[in-house]
Amino acid sequence: MFIISLTYLKPAEEIDALLAAHREYLREQYDNGMFLMSGRMVPRTGGIIIATADSRADIEAVIELDPFNEAGAASYAITEFVPTMTADILSAFQQG
């Protein structure tokens, strides 16, 4: 499992101009089963994505496709973790 933390590098109006394309990108990743949850930070300085993938390289490759990344509008920090305890609804992701 991965936590992807986005930090905006551009002003809000530039982020807003990319938002429709970014949401379409998110929808594609949800549809292919990689992204599980996402949302904006409070305050609105970036966002968080919870994802599943076979490897960090897979996550890095999909980040390259994000319109925010393509426009240089966000930086990304990737944290990999092994979920050893989950809520019942998330038990399919537990690994030990």
Side-chain angles (χ1 to χ4, degrees):
M1 298 286 297
F2 298 86
I3 300 169
I4 305 164
S5 179
L6 291 75
T7 302
Y8 297 146
L9 302 175
K10 303 279 184 164
E13 55 273 2
E14 291 183 50
I15 297 299
D16 289 343
L18 296 165
L19 204 50
H22 174 71
R23 287 184 177 150
E24 178 58 30
Y25 155 82
L26 291 173
R27 177 57 43 212
E28 291 169 3
Q29 302 317 312
Y30 278 105
D31 289 348
N32 75 25
M34 185 172 278
F35 289 177
L36 304 174
M37 186 180 302
S38 60
R40 65 180 176 88
M41 292 178 180
V42 178
R44 190 179 174 211
T45 58
I48 298 290
I49 300 169
I50 307 298
T52 185
D54 291 332
S55 69
R56 182 183 181 94
D58 290 345
I59 293 294
E60 291 169 347
V62 82
I63 286 172
E64 292 295 319
L65 305 173
D66 186 349
F68 285 168
N69 182 60
E70 293 174 339
S75 64
Y76 300 77
I78 302 167
T79 304
E80 184 172 2
F81 73 102
V82 176
T84 55
M85 183 179 270
T86 65
D88 290 344
I89 196 167
L90 299 172
S91 63
F93 299 103
Q94 194 168 321
Q95 299 179 17

